[in-house]
Amino acid sequence: MENKVTVITGTATGLGRETAIKLAGLGHRLVLVDFNEEAGAETLSLVKEKGAEAIFVKADVSNEADVQNYVKQAVDTFGKIDYFVNNAGMMVSLRLLHEYSLEEYDRVMNVNLKGAFLGLKYVIPVLLENGGGSIVNTVSSNSFKPTAFNGLYSATKHGLAALTKSIGQDYQDQRIYCVGVAPNSMKTGIANKAVQTLTAERGAQLAASTGPNIAATPEDIADTVIFALTTGAAMLTGTIVNCAGGEIFN
Ligand SMILES: NC(=O)c1ccc[n+]([C@@H]2O[C@H](COP(=O)([O-])OP(=O)(O)OC[C@H]3O[C@@H](n4cnc5c(N)ncnc54)[C@H](O)[C@@H]3O)[C@@H](O)[C@H]2O)c1
């Protein structure tokens, strides 16, 4: 895996950061992308401590010019892209559908679905030029079934699962592989703000909408991301890997 060039979005915290640290240990050259400059710079230091060649590019993934810029920075710095971890994402406040504002709808769609699409739109041509490559989209157990009060987020993750399946179907002859990795209860800060809209009653309904499962750390899920991106990419392409710790979605 030495000398492979990997672009990862959402690397300031959580799964993106842990994946970057593990890939640094495997010798990947890294392009770290996030809109959180301060925590993004910390991740850059952590991967450099592991000996990785790496750059950080500040970008809002929902902004087309920012996406074009992180792809350009990757190519200008390292000459190619081998792997893409399309991971940046957010949650909006948990509500019933009719309670959401159009601004909330636009924000979560823009980041989780349009942002992921823009990454694919601009990274895939670089992979094609390089003779192929592989992609992991961070989807969710909400790509299978919405948790309670989570309809908009779930819609974005269903959408991203559909894009994953499309790539699996459309690019086989061009050696572009794409796998969806679907965490369930992963211990990060992503839901901290979103859950503040829950009353005690809704909190109980949310808990009841989730089956028993083994909670994951971002380090646990990073191992699956790396397998799906590298060794497993061709055979897993177009599929969603359910990392739900025993909770089954059919
Ligand atoms: N934590 C979970 O239980 C869970 C479950 C299923 C799926 N996921 C998905 O995992 C991925 C990583 O989330 P996490 O749990 O590590 O949370 P996190 O909040 O720690 O990480 C998300 C990262 O994305 C970045 N980001 C958000 N919006 C951005 C934007 N517009 N432009 C650039 N960067 C942006 C954040 O700054 C952060 O670094 C997300 O796609 C999330 O939807 C998480």
Side-chain angles (χ1 to χ4, degrees):
M1 292 195 200
E2 209 127 311
N3 290 325
K4 293 295 185 191
V5 177
T6 302
V7 176
I8 314 176
T9 66
T11 48
T13 56
L15 178 60
R17 172 181 277 191
E18 295 308 326
T19 303
I21 292 169
K22 288 194 182 220
L23 288 175
L26 294 171
H28 286 225
R29 292 180 284 167
L30 298 170
V31 179
L32 310 179
V33 177
D34 209 285
F35 66 179
N36 180 341
E37 215 166 0
E38 205 181 319
E42 277 170 31
T43 306
L44 182 66
S45 302
L46 291 168
V47 302
K48 284 190 168 172
E49 276 169 29
K50 294 259 175 192
E53 276 181 66
I55 58 168
F56 171 71
V57 185
K58 184 181 180 186
D60 178 341
V61 298
S62 66
N63 179 297
E64 186 174 19
D66 283 8
V67 174
Q68 286 174 292
N69 182 52
Y70 78 65
V71 175
K72 182 176 186 307
Q73 295 295 323
V75 175
D76 287 353
T77 307
F78 296 119
K80 62 171 182 172
I81 300 171
D82 297 289
Y83 298 123
F84 178 42
V85 184
N86 201 9
N87 167 74
M90 60 167 293
M91 287 183 72
V92 271
S93 296
L94 299 177
R95 306 184 194 283
L96 287 172
L97 269 192
H98 73 275
E99 296 166 351
Y100 279 110
S101 67
L102 191 53
E103 286 70 27
E104 287 174 311
Y105 175 92
D106 285 340
R107 180 85 189 120
V108 71
M109 287 290 169
N110 281 341
V111 175
N112 290 6
L113 192 52
K114 189 175 91 179
F117 162 70
L118 286 171
L120 297 167
K121 175 173 169 56
Y122 289 106
V123 169
I124 287 174
V126 181
L127 299 180
L128 286 170
E129 222 166 277
N130 197 30
S134 62
I135 301 164
V136 164
N137 288 328
T138 307
V139 290
S140 170
S141 50
N142 273 277
S143 299
F144 299 105
K145 167 193 162 301
T147 42
F149 311 111
N150 212 2
L152 289 188
Y153 175 83
S154 182
T156 68
K157 294 298 185 179
H158 273 71
L160 187 53
L163 298 185
T164 307
K165 293 172 191 174
S166 284
I167 295 169
Q169 169 180 274
D170 295 347
Y171 290 87
Q172 288 165 23
D173 295 342
Q174 286 139 299
R175 299 160 61 92
I176 302 282
Y177 309 124
C178 184
V179 184
V181 170
N184 185 26
S185 308
M186 183 170 64
K187 293 170 192 156
T188 70
I190 195 169
N192 290 353
K193 223 170 132 202
V195 297
Q196 287 173 10
T197 40
L198 290 178
T199 58
E201 190 187 347
R202 284 191 177 185
Q205 282 176 272
L206 172 60
S209 77
T210 307
N213 64 83
I214 304 163
T217 63
E219 292 91 326
D220 295 329
I221 304 297
D223 288 333
T224 303
V225 169
I226 291 167
F227 177 75
L229 193 65
T230 57
T231 327
M235 283 304 105
L236 290 174
T237 194
T239 64
I240 308 302
V241 180
N242 176 24
C243 302
E247 190 174 356
I248 307 298
F249 306 98
N250 279 320

